[in-house]
Amino acid sequence: MELIILLAVIVLLLLVLVGIYNRLVGLRQNVKQGAADIDAQLRQRHDLIPNLVNTVKGYAGHEQETLEQVIAARNTAAQGTINSADEAQLRIALDRVLALGEAYPDLKASANFQELQSELADVEDKLAASRRALNAAVSRYNTARETFPAVMFAGAMGFEPADFHQLDDSEKGIVDQVPNVQFQG
């Protein structure tokens, strides 16, 4: 009888461990998918940049330094793994190119420039949504990993805590600042 009880406890423990393992694997996959979604949005942003630069060249060709900076930043950001500092530099360079639309009314009125601006804004929105989704997936994974009874076994089964996506310096400036609203009277 004692042997049957011992076997039942062992089987129950194994079933609990398998359940914990499978749940954590699924949640970890969601975290990896979230990171891959961010990577895909960043690559889409990188792919838009040459078209944007070529459009600007047609209207503001003498802004060569600005255009070279954005291409250099894009090439650096597009190499290998995604680096927050490289993406921040790219974002700054893109902001400079988009600001040229204000300096060149013909460029601002260009349908191609407007379409590229719209596509870039759409990518930025998707990127922000991907970052929120990643952080939600990380939260679910870390919570599952740190709750009882998983906390007793997760580390031993190779489940390390996942990191939340951090805002880069260029994003922090936008998020942390109170907008300055002025009315012309």
Side-chain angles (χ1 to χ4, degrees), residues 15-44:
L15 288 174
V16 167
L17 287 175
V18 167
I20 290 170
Y21 182 83
N22 288 341
R23 182 165 188 249
L24 290 175
V25 165
L27 292 169
R28 182 173 59 192
Q29 286 305 109
N30 289 342
V31 170
K32 288 179 180 179
Q33 178 64 45
D37 288 346
I38 289 174
D39 186 54
Q41 296 305 322
L42 290 173
R43 293 195 191 290
Q44 187 176 0

Side-chain angles (χ1 to χ4, degrees), residues 46-154:
H46 299 164
D47 291 345
L48 284 173
I49 291 170
N51 293 335
L52 182 63
V53 168
N54 286 334
T55 299
V56 171
K57 276 183 185 176
Y59 291 91
H62 58 281
E63 297 285 352
Q64 194 64 30
E65 183 180 343
T66 301
L67 299 175
E68 287 173 2
Q69 286 174 351
V70 76
I71 289 297
R74 181 246 184 225
N75 291 341
T76 301
Q79 293 174 0
T81 59
I82 302 302
N83 179 322
S84 182
D86 292 341
E87 289 300 324
Q89 286 300 111
L90 177 57
R91 187 179 182 124
I92 291 166
L94 271 176
D95 288 345
R96 286 185 190 135
V97 169
L98 293 174
L100 291 176
E102 298 300 320
Y104 297 91
D106 290 343
L107 173 62
K108 188 175 182 176
S110 162
N112 194 21
F113 184 72
Q114 289 175 1
E115 181 180 334
L116 289 168
Q117 266 188 311
S118 176
E119 286 181 45
L120 193 57
D122 186 48
V123 167
E124 294 297 332
D125 289 345
K126 288 178 183 176
L127 187 54
S130 294
R131 288 173 174 156
R132 286 189 301 273
L134 173 61
N135 284 341
V138 166
S139 178
R140 286 189 298 274
Y141 169 76
N142 284 342
T143 298
R145 187 187 167 283
E146 295 170 9
T147 56
F148 185 81
V151 69
M152 296 177 7
F153 308 105

